[in-house]
């Protein structure tokens, strides 16, 4: 394990990223947006970040990455989210596919996928949730049957963000019948390329008219043995490790940060009344920043952080929603807020229902936390 970067090094990196992003906004490369890590799909911008060395940061150099740490990646992602940059194209690949491949992938899988993720050329989705087993992954119904030279997978994955544009995903499937006494046994993960025969992707349109969610049907999709991820039967251990990366990042509390930051500007300009709730929300954001940074430090040490990540996700989701709720009411009451601020609030309102879907529902996360603390 490499030595953790100093605070001075992290501050220097933060300054570089912030200067780059401010220049992009000034030049019209992108328009700052709310919930950009899910809805802002821009492959060209992803490749711009790759040229700066800000994708594949945690992938070892010998595997095609930059060999930097999770704390450095945390700084970069926090700045991207703070300004509202369009990062959805590479987000899942860089956030969880890359470290999962580093940990569980074969040499051939690493050589095939990791350099492409670092270059901003490979985009990924998540093949976990299903209609009857959203956050309860132990009850997945997708099945993988052993066939000659591989596996045949059938089932349906739901809420699969970006699947219509992504190249592949890790599919969690049952390779053994459900054991009621040990529901976590008999699960495995497979690398499914989304242009494979038998894959059908249908859009799920949000109430705001956006298309990022999808239903992905797998009809006897053949996955060769060389695309099995990790070990057959070890899927539960692998997927919980993957969820540590999915649930712990700053996107779990910064999806609506742009609304909060813009509200401060509106208050300074006298277009919104000053409200003490802004201070409370800012304090919560700072606390979540510290929690998420602590998880990044844990990951840098090569340790699992699934319980800590669940805490970040649960508290972060609530904070994101509270930000939208507060300013939705204030905009209605003020009548003087700017058009840009109203637009950000409106986007936050339409995206809000999805906050508790992605990454696990609050009820399930409470169970994960309670189990991790030995309370159940």
């Amino acid at each position: 394990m490499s030595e953790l970067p100093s605070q001075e090094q992290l501050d220097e990196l933060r300054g570089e990223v912030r200067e780059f992003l401010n220049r992009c906004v000034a030049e019209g490369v992108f328009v700052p947006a709310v919930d950009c890590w899910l809805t802002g799909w821009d492959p060209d911008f992803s490749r711009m970040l790759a040229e700066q060395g800000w994708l594949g940061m945690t992938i070892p150099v010998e595997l095609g990455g930059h060999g930097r740490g999770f704390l450095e990646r945390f700084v970069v992602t926090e700045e991207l989210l703070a300004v509202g940059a369009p990062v959805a194209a590479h987000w899942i690949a860089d956030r969880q596919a890359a470290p999962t491949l580093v940990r569980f992938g074969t040499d051939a899988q690493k050589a095939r996928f990791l350099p492409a993720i670092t270059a901003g050329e490979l985009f990924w989705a998540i093949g976990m949730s299903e209609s009857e087993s959203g956050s309860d992954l132990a009850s997945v119904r997708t099945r993988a049957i052993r066939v000659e030279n591989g596996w045949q997978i059938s089932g349906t994955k739901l809420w699969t963000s970006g699947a219509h544009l992504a190249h592949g995903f890790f599919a969690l499937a049952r390779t053994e019948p459900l054991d009621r006494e040990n529901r976590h046994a008999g699960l495995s993960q497979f690398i499914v390329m989304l242009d494979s025969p038998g894959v059908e992707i249908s859009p799920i349109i949000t109430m705001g008219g956006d298309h990022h969610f999808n239903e992905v049907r797998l009809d006897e999709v053949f996955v060769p043995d060389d695309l099995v991820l990790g070990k057959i039967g070890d899927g539960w251990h692998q997927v919980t490790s993957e969820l540590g990366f999915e649930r712990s990042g700053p996107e779990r509390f910064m999806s609506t940060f742009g609304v909060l930051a813009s509200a401060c500007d509106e208050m300074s300009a006298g277009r919104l009344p000053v409200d003490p709730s802004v201070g409370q929300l800012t304090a919560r954001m700072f606390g979540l920043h510290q929690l998420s940074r602590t998880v990044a430090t844990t990951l840098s040490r090569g340790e699992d952080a699934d319980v800590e990540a669940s805490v970040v996700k649960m508290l972060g989701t609530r904070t994101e929603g509270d930000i939208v709720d507060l300013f939705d009411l204030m905009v209605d009451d003020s009548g003087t807020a700017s058009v840009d601020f109203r637009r950000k609030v409106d986007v936050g309102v339409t995206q809000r229902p999805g906050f508790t879907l992605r990454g696990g529902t609050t009820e399930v996360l409470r169970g994960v936390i309670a189990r991790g603390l030995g309370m159940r």
Side-chain angles (χ1 to χ4, degrees), residues 4-288:
L4 294 179
S6 67
Q7 187 59 50
E8 183 179 0
Q9 290 171 317
L10 294 175
D11 289 343
E12 183 179 352
L13 175 61
R14 188 180 294 278
E16 292 174 8
V17 178
R18 189 171 296 180
E19 181 182 357
F20 169 82
L21 293 172
N22 287 340
R23 188 167 64 251
C24 286
V25 173
E27 295 173 357
V29 174
F30 67 84
V31 176
V34 174
D35 211 24
C36 57
W37 70 271
L38 189 65
T39 61
W41 193 282
D42 187 341
D44 290 337
F45 183 72
S46 293
R47 283 186 281 271
M48 288 179 64
L49 293 177
E51 290 171 1
Q52 298 295 317
W54 296 331
L55 296 190
M57 294 180 71
T58 64
I59 299 173
V61 173
E62 62 272 19
L63 298 179
H66 296 290
R68 305 180 78 166
F70 284 94
L71 275 174
E72 291 164 295
R73 182 183 179 277
F74 176 85
V75 165
V76 172
T77 56
E78 197 170 46
E79 288 299 314
L80 289 166
L81 293 166
V83 78
V87 295
H90 69 266
W91 197 261
I92 293 171
D94 186 69
R95 178 185 69 185
Q96 67 196 87
T100 298
L101 283 164
V102 168
R103 185 168 184 179
F104 300 112
T106 65
D107 289 343
Q109 290 168 1
K110 293 172 184 177
R112 177 176 175 181
F113 298 118
L114 293 178
I117 291 174
T118 302
E121 297 173 350
L122 182 71
F123 309 132
W124 218 246
I126 302 174
M128 296 184 193
S129 294
E130 300 180 7
S131 60
E132 300 298 326
S133 56
S135 298
D136 181 17
L137 294 178
S139 64
V140 296
R141 297 182 179 183
T142 297
R143 300 193 61 81
I145 300 173
R146 191 77 173 96
V147 295
E148 185 177 0
N149 299 322
W151 297 79
Q152 192 176 78
I153 302 181
S154 296
T156 301
K157 297 297 180 179
L158 200 61
W159 311 118
T160 313
S161 298
H164 59 304
L165 300 169
H167 297 100
F169 66 16
F170 300 142
L172 182 66
R174 285 216 157 270
T175 45
E176 296 289 341
L178 176 64
D179 180 353
R180 299 286 180 185
E181 300 299 319
N182 184 6
R183 297 169 66 245
H184 299 156
L187 291 167
S188 306
Q189 282 187 297
F190 300 87
I191 300 173
V192 175
M193 306 312 296
L194 293 174
D195 61 354
S196 300
V199 175
E200 183 179 350
I201 301 173
S202 301
I204 299 174
I205 307 300
T206 69
M207 65 181 182
D210 294 319
H211 173 203
H212 52 81
F213 286 135
N214 297 275
E215 178 184 75
V216 180
R217 290 184 289 278
L218 308 172
D219 184 11
E220 298 184 352
V221 175
F222 176 73
V223 176
D225 285 327
D226 61 6
L227 289 184
V228 172
L229 180 66
K231 298 179 181 178
I232 293 297
D234 203 27
W236 183 256
H237 166 65
Q238 294 173 196
V239 83
T240 52
S241 173
E242 183 181 339
L243 286 169
F245 301 113
E246 180 181 350
R247 291 171 172 166
S248 63
E251 71 270 28
R252 292 309 176 188
F253 58 92
M254 293 188 70
S255 297
T256 58
F257 177 82
V259 175
L260 178 60
S262 294
C264 293
D265 294 337
E266 296 289 301
M267 290 178 183
S268 296
R271 292 188 293 268
L272 280 183
V274 176
D275 191 301
S277 297
V278 173
Q280 297 170 3
L281 289 168
T282 301
R284 287 166 64 181
M285 290 290 291
F286 182 77
L288 286 161

Side-chain angles (χ1 to χ4, degrees), residues 288-319:
L288 286 161
H289 159 86
Q290 293 296 99
L291 281 171
S292 186
R293 176 178 168 139
T294 299
V295 174
T297 302
T298 301
L299 295 173
S300 293
R301 297 189 180 116
E303 301 170 6
D304 287 331
D306 53 316
V307 175
E308 295 89 340
S310 296
V311 173
V312 172
K313 200 279 174 185
M314 184 185 73
L315 297 178
T317 292
R318 181 173 178 179
T319 299

Side-chain angles (χ1 to χ4, degrees), residues 292-365:
S292 186
R293 176 178 168 139
T294 299
V295 174
T297 302
T298 301
L299 295 173
S300 293
R301 297 189 180 116
E303 301 170 6
D304 287 331
D306 53 316
V307 175
E308 295 89 340
S310 296
V311 173
V312 172
K313 200 279 174 185
M314 184 185 73
L315 297 178
T317 292
R318 181 173 178 179
T319 299
E320 290 177 330
D322 287 350
I323 289 172
V324 172
D325 289 346
L326 172 65
F327 296 114
D328 185 31
L329 293 173
M330 290 183 69
V331 164
D332 289 343
D333 291 341
S334 73
T336 57
S338 68
V339 173
D340 181 65
F341 181 65
R342 289 172 179 273
R343 175 182 60 82
K344 289 181 179 179
V345 172
D346 287 344
V347 172
V349 169
T350 58
Q351 291 295 102
R352 191 195 193 291
F355 293 169
T356 56
L357 287 176
R358 56 206 200 198
T361 64
T362 298
E363 292 78 11
V364 166
L365 291 172

